[in-house]
Amino acid sequence: MNVFTQIEAQLQSVLAEILPTINLADFAIAVEPPRSGAHGDMATNAAMVLAKTAKMPPRQLAEAIAEKLEAVADITATQVAGPGFVNITLAPAFWQQHIKVITEAGADYGRGTDKQQKINIEYVSANPTGPMHVGHARGAVLGDVLANLLATAGYDITREYYINDAGGQINVLAQSVLLRAQGRQVPEGLYPSDYIIPIGQTLAAQTDFEAQDEATQIMSAKQVALPIIMDMIKDDLAALGIRHDVFSSEQSLHDRNMIDETLAQLEGQGLIYQGILEAPKGKPPSPEDREDWEEREQTLFRSTKFGDDSDRALKKSNGDWTYFAADIAYHFDKYQRGFTHQINIWGADHAGYIKRMKAAVEAITKGEAQLDVRTCNLVKLLRDGQPVKMSKRSGEFITLREVVDEVGKDAVRFMMLTRKNDAPLDFDFAQVKDKSRDNPIFYVQYANARICSVLDKAGETGTANYTRLQDVAELALIRKLANYPRIMAAAAEALEPHRIAFYLLDVAAAFHSLWNKGKDNPDLRFVMENDKALTADRLALLVATQQVLHCGMGVIGIEPQAEMR
C-alpha cells in the first residue's frame, strides 16, 4: 500500500467536492513528503496547480482544501504554507497500523502490479578484448539494479549484452593473440597484457600456422579468442552477481545481412542520401564524429529530421558499414523481438552518440519504439589516497575481479549507487573497508545485524497491536518505512536506482537513531522485561524495519548480514 496515493485519493474526493466542474485528471496534483518534518507528514500543491482554472487566489483555494481535509479520517491537522501549499498531519494510529501492512506483505511490500510491458535493458556490453576492469562495474551495477527495480515495479524485463565482435578492435585482439601464439612480443598499440598469453598458447595448440595464410590466421585467432574472453567476462560479471538473459552478436548482424535489410527500409522512407557533411565546428570531433566526418561524398542518414544536430554517415571510405549502421540494425532487431521500450546503459564518453541513436530508433520503428539511454560517469579508484591508473592496452589496469575479491560484491554494488549515475564517483578502498557510519554499506548492514541480534535474544512475545509505538523516533522510523512503495515507484519511473540506496541509508539512520535513544533512555529499549505488550509492539517495528531493509537490499542485489565481523 502506498500511503501517499491513499491520501491522494482522499484529496481527490475533496477537490471534486470543491471544484465539481474541473477535470482533475488534467492536472499534475502531487501529495508528497514536505521539505521539513516540522511541516507535517505530507504536503500537496493542489491549490497552486488548480488556482488559475478555478479562478481563485492560490491561498484562498488552499484554505478551502485544508478545511475540508480536516474532516477526513486519520487527518488531525492541516496548515496552509507559502504560496499555497497545504501541509497535512496524520494521526499516530495511521502510521502505527502500517506496521501490519508491511509485515503481512512481506517480500512483496513495495512491489508493483503486473504492467505486462516488455522492456529490454542492454548494459555492460564491454568490447570482448579482455577481462572486465573496475570502470565497467558502474554500468554493470546500474543496469542490473535498474533491471531489478523495473522487474519489482511489474515490468517484463530482458537483460541483454551486445557483443561488439566485429570491427577494428577485434582485429587488433586477433593480431595480439596471433603474436603470442607464435611466441613473439606484442608491440605498443596492440594488447600486450598477460591475459593474452594463455589464449595465444591455446591458439598455438590448435593451429597449423604453416598451412594458413595471414587472413586465415587472423580468423583462427578470432575464433579461439572470442569464446575464451566472453567466458572470462561472464565469470567476472558472475562474481559481481550479474547475469544476462541474452547475448547478441554484432557479427551475426553482418552474417544475417541484417544491416543491409534494415537500411534498405530507411532508404525506402527517403531517409538515406548521398551528400557531403560540413566539418565539425569548434572543439575537436569525438570518436563518433571522426567516424562520421570525411571531406567526401558519403552515404548519410537524415538524422536531423529526428532532432539530431547533424546527419550521420553510414559507410566508411573503404565501403564497410559504420558502427552506427550496425547499431541501427541491432536496435531494429530488438524492436522486431517485441521490445518497444529499450534502455541502454553507456559510458559518459558516448553521450554524444545518444541523439543519433534515438533518432535512428524513432525512424526505423516509425515512432513505435522508445529508447532511453543512461550514461555512467567515471569511477576513480583510490588506494592509500592515490588514484590507481587503468589502461587495458598497456596492461596496467585493475580488474573488476580484483576489486570484488578484495571488498566483496555487495560493497561494490552498493558503492556504485552512492552517487547519481551521471556524477563522478570515487571508490576508496579505505572507506569501503571501514566499519563505521562513514561506510554506507556497513551502515545499512549494521542496522540489519542489530535487528537480528535483538530478535534472536527476545524469544517469544505476545501479539502486537502497535498502539504503544508513540515516541517521536518510533513514529519517524515508521514514516520512513511507509515511504518505501512511493520511493520504489518514483525510482522506477525516473530510471534512477540510486534512490533505493539513498533510501536504505535514510532507513538505517532512522533506526540507528532510535537504537541510540534506547541506549540513553531505558524506557525506549526494544525489550521491556516487565511490559510484554510494549515489547511486542517494538519487536513488530523491528520486524517491519528488517523487512523493508531486505526488500531494498534485494533490489540492489546484496545479501543482508545477520552479524558484522
Side-chain angles (χ1 to χ4, degrees):
M1 179 195 301
N2 187 329
V3 294
F4 290 87
T5 57
Q6 184 179 344
I7 298 303
E8 184 178 343
Q10 300 278 15
L11 173 65
Q12 291 282 340
S13 297
V14 165
L15 293 173
E17 185 180 345
I18 297 173
L19 305 168
T21 62
I22 294 179
N23 183 2
L24 300 174
D26 294 337
F27 298 88
I29 298 169
V31 176
E32 55 194 6
R35 291 185 178 180
S36 168
H39 297 158
D41 298 321
M42 299 182 186
T44 179
N45 63 349
M48 293 179 291
V49 170
L50 296 169
K52 184 175 181 181
T53 304
K55 297 179 180 179
M56 295 175 64
R59 284 190 63 92
Q60 181 182 341
L61 179 55
E63 294 285 357
I65 294 170
E67 182 180 355
K68 291 284 186 182
L69 283 176
E70 286 195 3
V72 172
D74 295 321
I75 295 178
T76 59
T78 60
Q79 177 191 30
V80 176
F85 286 105
V86 178
N87 295 329
I88 302 167
T89 300
L90 295 158
F94 176 87
W95 299 111
Q96 292 161 352
Q97 291 304 311
H98 201 75
I99 296 298
K100 183 178 180 181
V101 173
I102 296 170
T103 53
E104 289 184 348
D108 288 331
Y109 182 61
R111 186 174 294 277
T113 56
D114 185 5
K115 297 174 176 57
Q116 296 186 336
Q117 181 182 357
K118 294 173 63 176
I119 300 179
N120 181 288
I121 306 181
E122 182 236 313
Y123 57 104
V124 187
S125 298
N127 289 337
T129 54
M132 306 290 291
H133 62 66
V134 72
H136 294 127
R138 194 171 190 187
V141 170
L142 174 66
D144 200 58
V145 178
L146 180 58
N148 291 343
L149 174 62
L150 291 175
T152 304
Y155 296 96
D156 181 1
I157 301 300
T158 294
R159 306 155 191 261
E160 187 152 337
Y161 187 118
Y162 182 46
I163 308 172
N164 297 113
D165 53 357
Q169 82 280 357
I170 299 302
N171 289 328
V172 172
L173 171 68
Q175 291 168 5
S176 305
V177 170
L178 184 59
L179 289 171
R180 290 296 193 186
Q182 295 170 340
R184 298 161 59 188
Q185 292 297 312
V186 178
E188 186 177 348
L190 300 184
Y191 294 116
S193 300
D194 288 347
Y195 68 84
I196 297 291
I197 295 174
I199 301 175
Q201 292 169 344
T202 300
L203 175 63
Q206 298 178 7
T207 305
D208 181 4
F209 296 116
E210 298 297 328
Q212 294 182 344
D213 59 26
E214 184 177 353
T216 306
Q217 290 175 353
I218 292 294
M219 182 58 67
S220 296
K222 291 181 185 179
Q223 292 172 345
V224 169
L226 284 171
I228 292 174
I229 290 181
M230 281 309 302
D231 284 345
M232 189 186 305
I233 287 173
K234 290 176 184 179
D235 286 345
D236 289 345
L237 292 173
L240 193 53
I242 290 173
R243 62 171 181 83
H244 289 84
D245 302 309
V246 176
F247 287 83
S248 292
S249 161
E250 179 186 354
Q251 184 60 50
S252 74
L253 299 173
H254 294 271
D255 297 341
R256 291 184 288 138
N257 207 34
M258 183 76 182
I259 302 174
D260 297 77
E261 293 175 3
T262 301
L263 298 185
Q265 293 196 36
L266 290 177
E267 188 169 16
Q269 298 176 45
L271 296 175
I272 293 179
Y273 68 101
Q274 300 296 313
I276 300 176
L277 292 175
E278 292 185 12
K281 297 186 174 92
K283 62 182 181 180
S286 67
E288 290 87 358
D289 289 332
R290 283 196 293 272
E291 182 181 71
D292 281 342
W293 186 78
E294 292 182 74
E295 196 171 4
R296 63 175 179 84
E297 188 173 77
Q298 298 184 85
T299 301
L300 303 171
F301 165 59
R302 296 187 188 277
S303 191
T304 50
K305 186 175 180 180
F306 302 91
D308 197 3
D309 301 324
S310 171
D311 291 342
R312 304 297 177 178
L314 297 172
K315 279 193 174 181
K316 301 176 184 178
S317 57
N318 65 1
D320 291 343
W321 293 117
T322 61
Y323 287 116
F324 179 51
D327 284 342
I328 296 174
Y330 170 53
H331 286 79
F332 187 52
D333 177 67
K334 287 195 278 191
Y335 168 72
Q336 290 181 314
R337 287 187 267 137
F339 296 109
T340 55
H341 190 177
Q342 304 172 17
I343 300 173
N344 292 350
I345 308 298
W346 292 347
D349 56 335
H350 287 83
Y353 204 67
I354 295 175
K355 280 188 178 180
R356 77 191 67 182
M357 204 64 253
K358 290 172 76 75
V361 169
E362 182 179 353
I364 194 59
T365 68
K366 298 180 180 178
E368 293 185 5
Q370 171 192 353
L371 173 66
D372 281 309
V373 180
R374 290 295 182 270
T375 59
C376 293
N377 213 316
L378 296 176
V379 176
K380 184 187 294 184
L381 190 65
L382 303 176
R383 190 182 296 280
D384 297 326
Q386 298 300 316
V388 179
K389 295 182 179 180
M390 296 171 289
S391 171
K392 184 177 290 187
R393 288 184 178 272
S394 70
E396 296 175 359
F397 64 94
I398 302 299
T399 66
L400 171 61
R401 180 62 68 88
E402 287 175 302
V403 177
V404 171
D405 288 347
E406 184 166 343
V407 303
K409 78 172 182 64
D410 289 355
V412 175
R413 290 181 72 101
F414 198 95
M415 293 301 292
M416 291 298 163
L417 297 173
T418 54
R419 295 287 184 276
K420 190 176 178 181
N421 55 278
D422 56 2
L425 186 147
D426 288 349
F427 188 98
D428 192 323
F429 278 102
Q431 180 188 20
V432 175
K433 294 178 179 180
D434 186 27
K435 294 184 178 181
S436 76
R437 66 174 300 164
D438 294 331
N439 177 359
I441 178 65
F442 177 83
Y443 194 58
V444 171
Q445 291 282 24
Y446 194 37
N448 183 71
R450 277 178 157 175
I451 292 171
C452 288
S453 175
V454 175
L455 295 178
D456 287 345
K457 294 175 182 177
E460 293 293 327
T461 62
T463 301
N465 65 19
Y466 321 112
T467 58
R468 302 286 296 280
L469 299 171
Q470 298 176 359
D471 186 77
V472 171
E474 291 172 332
L475 291 171
L477 176 56
I478 298 172
R479 290 188 190 97
K480 288 290 182 187
L481 303 181
N483 201 20
Y484 180 65
R486 175 183 170 273
I487 293 291
M488 278 288 301
E493 182 178 357
L495 305 181
E496 293 185 343
H498 70 274
R499 295 191 189 190
I500 306 302
F502 289 10
Y503 170 77
L504 289 177
L505 286 167
D506 285 344
V507 171
F511 167 76
H512 289 306
S513 176
L514 178 57
W515 176 284
N516 291 331
K517 285 188 73 173
K519 287 176 63 178
D520 296 334
N521 182 354
D523 291 338
L524 288 176
R525 289 176 182 168
F526 299 113
V527 177
M528 305 295 292
E529 297 292 346
N530 299 320
D531 194 335
K532 290 186 177 181
L534 179 56
T535 298
D537 282 3
R538 286 178 175 168
L539 293 183
L541 174 57
L542 291 189
V543 170
T545 304
Q546 184 178 65
Q547 184 58 63
V548 173
L549 288 172
H550 287 194
C551 286
M553 289 180 182
V555 172
I556 294 178
I558 61 179
E559 295 292 331
Q561 298 298 312
E563 57 182 345
M564 306 297 290
R565 293 192 176 97

